[in-house]
Structure formats: C-alpha cells, structure tokens
C-alpha cells in the first residue's frame, strides 16, 4: 500500500520560507494569496494489504523520523 | 584527559576540534566514526560541526540514529559531559538530549561571521572557566540556527537557567540587530536540566589561536578541561 505523509510547521511556528514565497506572490500580482506555509511530502510504499496497519506504520515513522514534534505536525493518507 | 570527537558522514569541523584539543589544549583526542559503538573510555564527548548525512530531512535528524549515538546517550545519562557545536547542537536537539528545535534562519541566509555572545551561566562544563556576563567573540556558520522552543518549554529553560550563551552587542546588550538568526530570546546555547550536555551554535574551535583571528573560543575549550579537573 502507499502512504502519503504531509509534514507542516505547527501554526504557532514562524515559517520564513512561506513568508518569502508569499511576498514573491504579492510582487507577482497575486495579492489575494493571504498566507503560504511550506511543508514536506513523503510517499511510502508499505508491503501490506491492511490499510489500518499501513496507516499505523506511517504514523509511527512520522513520529520517529519524518516530523520533529517540537515544531512540526503531520497528516497520513492511505491510497 | 581524553576527548572523543564523533565523526559523522558530512562532519567537517571534526579535525578542527581534534586539532584544538590536541595541539591547543594539549589533551588526548580520538576521532570516532559514527558507526562505532565504543567511546574508547573518553572523559568528554564532542559532536562537531558540519552537515551530518547531508542535513537531509532536517539538520541532525538522521545522525541521531547513528550507532554511536546510543553510547553518547548512555554516556550523557551517566553524567558525562557532551558538547555539541553547531551541527552537533542540532543533533543533540533531534536526539532529545537538549530541549527545543532549530528552524531556518530568520533571513533565510547562511550566516558566516564573528558574533558576540554573552555568558549567562557558568554552571556548565562549557562555561566553568568564564564569568557571568562575559562577552565572547566567536564565529558562527549556519543556515539553521534559529533556536525555537514553545512558550511553556522556553519558560522552563529560562527559569532553570539553562540558557548558556545569548547573542548580544559587543558590550553585552541584547539587541535584535545582534541576533544573527532570529533565535527566540537570542539563545545561542542551551544545556540540559542536569547541565552536563551543552549545545552551542558558535564555533569555539575556530577561535582558539591568534592566527585564526581570535582566541575567545579558548574560554569555552579551557572551561571543559577545568570542569573535568575540578569535578
């Protein structure tokens, strides 16, 4: 099964890259873009047909390595 | 006195630290590969600067799982002094041996320059030979040195006097312009609550001889020797 893991900075944490991107978008004329948060996206191929098991494993991997719980949160999708 | 300098794939200040320990401090030092599982009886462990594992994912994120880190963790739990410099600081944060996390520098720029840092506590192996309020001029070189801790954790760190160094002006004043990376409360260095593990963004090994343009790093390096001698 394939798991998708999205890692983003927590809302309370300042994202200087997102800030720079939004400033660039405003310069380009996209004034309606209010905020941009940059994150990370991972695709995990997991050798199981049990989607609950795949989701649990992806979450475990995110907890241990893919995300730093001090500054980041994550979301897992199974496809 | 024997130092262990851990070498990760991508470390690039390991030999500088080894040189400073052996040639400047006149102490023994062993360079220990990250896949080793023996600290060779070291009295103090240094995690040097660099880009361990290419800084992939997050700085220090992969290095914390290197085999030697289990030994470093056990050494720290026994009360042994562990000093993380720059990337070594980032590794200690990721390993949970120090509180907090690193973010990209506020200006997104890699900052490589001399900065002024003020000694906030002398109750750590890295500052035992300094005096409180002493201002040291030591180089930094990093893109992710923007120290962050959520408000409750930050309060605990401040209340326990775990802030070891703060970025200041040359005369020791806090000033946002003197904060090179946006670190919360201008924090350049913290220790754990037991005070034997210290991480710092400035590189004392790059300021330990007049030929390097300064000797203030010696205050840090000699503190380690003093702390171990008087312990």
């Amino acid at each position: 099964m394939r798991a998708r893991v999205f890692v983003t900075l927590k809302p309370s944490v300042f994202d200087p890259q997102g800030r720079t991107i939004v400033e660039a978008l405003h310069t380009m004329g996209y004034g309606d873009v209010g905020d941009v948060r940059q994150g990370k996206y991972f695709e995990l191929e997991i050798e199981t047909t049990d989607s609950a098991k795949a989701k649990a494993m992806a979450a475990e991997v995110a907890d241990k390595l893919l995300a730093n719980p001090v500054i980041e949160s994550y979301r897992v999708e199974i496809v | 006195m024997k130092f262990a300098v851990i070498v990760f794939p991508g470390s690039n200040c390991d030999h500088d630290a080894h040189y400073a320990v052996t040639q400047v401090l006149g102490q023994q030092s062993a360079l220990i590969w990250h896949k080793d599982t023996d600290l060779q009886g070291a009295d103090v462990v240094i995690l040097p600067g660099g880009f361990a594992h290419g800084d992939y994912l997050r700085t220090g994120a992969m290095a914390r799982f290197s085999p030697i880190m289990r030994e470093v963790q056990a050494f720290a739990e026994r009360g042994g002094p562990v000093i993380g410099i720059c990337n070594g600081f980032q590794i200690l944060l990721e390993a949970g041996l120090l509180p907090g996390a690193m973010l990209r520098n506020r200006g997104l720029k890699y900052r490589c320059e001399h900065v002024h840092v003020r000694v906030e506590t002398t109750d750590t192996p890295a500052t035992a030979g300094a005096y409180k309020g002493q201002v040291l001029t030591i180089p930094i070189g990093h893109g992710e040195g923007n120290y962050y801790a959520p408000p409750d954790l930050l309060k605990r760190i401040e209340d326990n006097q775990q802030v070891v160094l703060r970025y200041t002006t040359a005369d020791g004043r806090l000033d946002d312009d003197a904060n090179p990376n946006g670190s919360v409360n201008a924090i350049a260095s913290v220790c754990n609550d037991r005070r034997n593990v210290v991480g710092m963004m400035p590189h004392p090994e790059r300021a330990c001889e007049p030929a390097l343009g300064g000797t203030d790093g010696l205050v840090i390096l000699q503190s380690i020797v003093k702390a171990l001698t008087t312990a």
Side-chain angles (χ1 to χ4, degrees):
Chain A
M1 306 209 75
R2 178 175 290 179
R4 292 174 169 165
V5 181
F6 301 84
V7 176
T8 47
L9 284 172
K10 289 179 176 172
S12 55
V13 176
F14 177 62
D15 175 10
Q17 293 180 100
R19 187 71 230 155
T20 304
I21 292 165
V22 84
E23 282 168 11
L25 291 175
H26 288 170
T27 306
M28 291 160 67
Y30 295 100
D32 290 343
V33 180
D35 193 21
V36 173
R37 304 285 289 175
Q38 181 172 328
K40 293 171 187 155
Y41 168 62
F42 305 86
E43 287 184 350
L44 279 62
E45 294 292 343
I46 301 173
E47 290 186 11
T48 177
T49 50
D50 182 341
S51 67
K53 193 174 162 190
K55 190 164 189 178
M57 189 180 290
E60 189 178 320
V61 165
D63 275 327
K64 286 187 180 170
L65 180 63
L66 302 182
N68 180 335
V70 179
I71 48 173
E72 294 169 325
S73 51
Y74 66 86
R75 178 167 59 83
V76 176
E77 280 178 8
I78 300 296
V79 289
Chain B
M1 186 175 304
K2 190 168 179 185
F3 285 63
V5 178
I6 310 299
V7 183
F8 296 94
S11 294
N12 65 8
C13 303
D14 42 347
H15 284 270
D16 295 8
H18 181 72
Y19 171 86
V21 170
T22 55
Q23 304 302 310
V24 182
L25 294 180
Q27 305 291 332
Q28 286 180 276
S29 167
L31 288 161
I32 297 181
W33 181 235
H34 79 120
K35 284 193 171 168
D36 288 351
T37 53
D38 181 4
L39 290 172
Q40 301 178 18
D43 303 299
V44 53
V45 173
I46 292 185
L47 301 189
F51 301 85
H53 298 274
D55 275 354
Y56 296 155
L57 188 61
R58 295 179 307 277
T59 54
M62 250 77 85
R64 67 175 279 213
F65 294 108
S66 286
I68 197 66
M69 285 305 292
R70 281 195 292 273
E71 300 307 313
V72 173
Q73 183 126 19
F75 179 80
E77 280 165 11
R78 291 196 298 273
V82 178
I83 313 293
I85 299 167
C86 195
N87 189 222
F89 185 10
Q90 295 162 339
I91 294 168
L92 290 171
L93 291 168
E94 283 283 341
L97 287 168
L98 288 174
M102 283 299 175
L103 298 168
R104 289 284 294 270
N105 289 351
R106 172 170 55 183
L108 294 177
K109 196 170 174 228
Y110 187 95
R111 300 291 295 261
C112 187
E113 61 204 47
H114 279 77
V115 296
H116 307 291
V117 288
R118 188 178 70 198
V119 175
E120 301 292 279
T121 171
T122 57
D123 185 17
T124 80
T127 49
Y131 60 86
K132 195 172 174 183
Q134 186 171 0
V135 178
L136 304 173
T137 305
I138 302 181
I140 54 165
H142 60 251
E144 298 202 16
N146 180 353
Y147 180 81
Y148 174 82
D152 50 337
L153 179 62
L154 184 63
K155 182 177 186 315
R156 208 158 68 232
I157 291 166
E158 292 284 1
D159 288 351
N160 290 342
Q161 296 177 345
Q162 285 172 246
V163 178
V164 181
L165 301 171
R166 255 187 254 274
Y167 301 108
T168 63
T169 59
D171 57 354
R173 278 181 305 105
L174 284 171
D175 182 333
D176 198 47
D177 288 340
N179 182 343
N181 49 37
S183 288
V184 65
N185 291 10
I187 290 171
S189 168
V190 293
C191 66
N192 61 345
D193 51 8
R194 197 171 166 181
R195 315 192 77 80
N196 61 313
V197 179
V198 180
M200 65 183 69
M201 290 317 290
H203 285 270
E205 80 282 7
R206 293 187 191 172
C208 63
E209 287 184 321
L212 295 176
T215 56
D216 280 4
L218 273 179
V219 174
I220 304 283
L221 298 172
Q222 287 170 343
S223 287
I224 301 168
V225 176
K226 182 185 172 185
L228 276 166
T229 313
T230 54

